[in-house]
Amino acid sequence: MKKTIIITSRNHFAQPFVATSMFCLMICSLSAGEGAVMTLPQAIIRALSFDPTIGQAFADVIQADGFAKSTRSDLRPQLALEGSAGGAYRERLLSGVNVGNNLLFSRTTSLVGRQLIWSNGYFSNRYKDAKERTQAKMMLDRDQREVTALATAQTFLDVVRARSQLVFAESNVDEHQRILELARSRAKSGGSQADVELATARTKKAEALLRERRLDLLMVESHFQRYVGIKPPALATPDVPKLKSLSDVNLRNNWHYKAVEHQHAAAQLQVKTMHSKYGPRVYLEARGDVGNNVDGIQGRNNGTSIMVTASWNLFDGGQRKADIQQADADVERQRAILDETYVILKHDSQARWDDYRTRAEHIEFLKTYHEYLMKTIELYREQFELGTRSLLSILDIYNEAMGARISITDDQHQRSEAGYRLLYFGGQLIPRTAGEVYISTPRSPDGKDMEMTTFSK
């Protein structure tokens, strides 16, 4: 259904102040085509599929997952096929008989199976360590998605504000031009030429402001295209996120914080790995051999065997202690990074919450202030028409009201931005806008869902 929006006013001085973000949206919709309005969730979804930094983060997940699978293979059975062929010569004295002493063609084929029985936890801890690091990469992948969503929300709000303020600036120029024409008409009827000069100067200033707003709009539209991949169409003004208190933001759900938690867990497992790295290892080995003329002794030489083999590095020159020392230091480092991350998140979230809360109060104050200014403009207009009010006072009160309207738009923008950043701090930006499904890590290249298991510490 085609809709028509009509805005009326009793006096032309008040017209610019009736323009709101919805009016700006109507203008943009007419230029972009009916029904071509993009919402913030739609912009975020497009950005998540377009931003190449997300692809880089997910490549790190795939790489870490591949390393974890590599370490898991050490815990599983190993099967190898071995073979050799070539000349062999052997001379051996056995019970007074010289055995061998011939150069023969030797060939051997062996099938060897090997299974780890015990390694004092070395290979299992190494696998758990790799899994924790994969989990950390997954959390960083999700954090990058939230970062992209936050940047998209910011540039989305920037475009909405810039377009609204462009409408204000255009209305401001139109109003100044009407005042200038009124001053010229009065000057011809015996009025003051000074009013013409003053109105001309103020009109030039309004035109300069309009050029600035157009340049600002071009810049924010360029930023929008960087994240979303298209030039911004008509944009629907998003609602301000609803947050009752700072306790609604759980900082421990922040994806970057979760990534550091997994890094810390991995560092602790690395210490366990180093403690058992140089301990004994026990394997079960099964072998089947088929060969001829082995070691220069003519004839067939086939055989099978099942044995338990063991190895133990008794002296390593102090390398074990050095590795453990480095692993312990990494645990301390990751613990410090974890604490630092939480402190930074807590400080930033508190600052954003203060901004979010006080902006709401300030917006209400500005709206009340703007209402009083509008009533004053009406009175000034009547006095101006009666000749008891100067043109300068009309221009001043008009500019004051215009400044208040712009300040309201700026505060609404800043409050929305603070709200979306608070959602990011709590790891809830994408779930609260685009939906929970868009924060999940995609499937791995082998077609299986990537595991999200956290090992017990």
Side-chain angles (χ1 to χ4, degrees), residues 274-396:
M274 290 299 103
H275 275 283
S276 58
K277 180 178 180 180
Y278 299 97
R281 301 175 189 177
V282 181
Y283 294 88
L284 177 65
E285 184 175 292
R287 174 183 291 270
D289 301 316
V290 177
N292 276 11
N293 301 333
V294 178
D295 292 335
I297 300 177
Q298 190 172 11
R300 297 181 63 81
N301 189 46
N302 302 334
T304 58
S305 64
I306 298 179
M307 294 180 292
V308 175
T309 63
S311 64
W312 190 357
N313 188 356
L314 297 177
F315 180 73
D316 54 34
Q319 184 174 355
R320 176 177 176 271
K321 291 184 178 180
D323 289 344
I324 293 175
Q325 180 180 348
Q326 295 179 65
D328 286 336
D330 191 43
V331 172
E332 294 299 321
R333 180 185 301 107
Q334 295 301 327
R335 178 73 253 178
I337 293 175
L338 186 64
D339 293 340
E340 179 189 33
T341 301
Y342 187 81
V343 168
I344 292 175
L345 285 172
K346 186 176 182 179
H347 175 269
D348 290 349
S349 62
Q350 182 64 59
R352 292 292 177 174
W353 170 253
D354 292 339
D355 189 29
Y356 177 83
R357 179 174 51 82
T358 56
R359 291 279 180 183
E361 299 172 356
H362 194 231
I363 289 171
E364 292 304 316
F365 165 77
L366 286 174
K367 287 182 177 179
T368 302
Y369 177 60
H370 179 259
E371 290 176 1
Y372 283 114
L373 287 176
M374 295 304 300
K375 294 177 182 178
T376 304
I377 287 178
E378 179 68 20
L379 294 174
Y380 276 26
R381 183 191 67 83
E382 294 175 357
Q383 293 172 2
F384 178 74
E385 292 177 352
L386 294 174
T388 60
R389 176 66 60 180
S390 67
L391 179 65
L392 177 59
S393 61
I394 289 290
L395 290 172
D396 287 343

Side-chain angles (χ1 to χ4, degrees), residues 185-245:
S185 298
R186 292 200 172 188
K188 293 179 180 179
S189 302
S192 174
Q193 182 63 28
D195 286 347
V196 176
E197 300 299 330
L198 176 61
T200 301
R202 292 293 183 90
T203 301
K204 294 296 184 183
K205 183 178 179 180
E207 291 172 347
L209 176 62
L210 176 59
R211 288 193 293 270
E212 291 178 5
R213 296 303 182 194
R214 285 173 177 167
L215 180 59
D216 290 343
L217 180 58
L218 289 176
M219 293 178 63
V220 297
E221 285 182 340
S222 176
H223 292 160
F224 182 94
Q225 189 171 5
R226 179 264 181 257
Y227 287 102
V228 184
I230 60 172
K231 292 183 178 180
L235 303 180
T237 303
D239 295 331
V240 179
K242 303 298 182 182
L243 296 168
K244 296 180 180 179
S245 66

Side-chain angles (χ1 to χ4, degrees), residues 420-440:
Y420 287 116
R421 187 169 287 275
L422 285 169
L423 292 181
Y424 162 76
F425 288 145
Q428 288 296 308
L429 177 55
I430 292 178
R432 290 274 294 270
T433 54
E436 189 77 34
V437 66
Y438 292 99
I439 194 63
S440 301

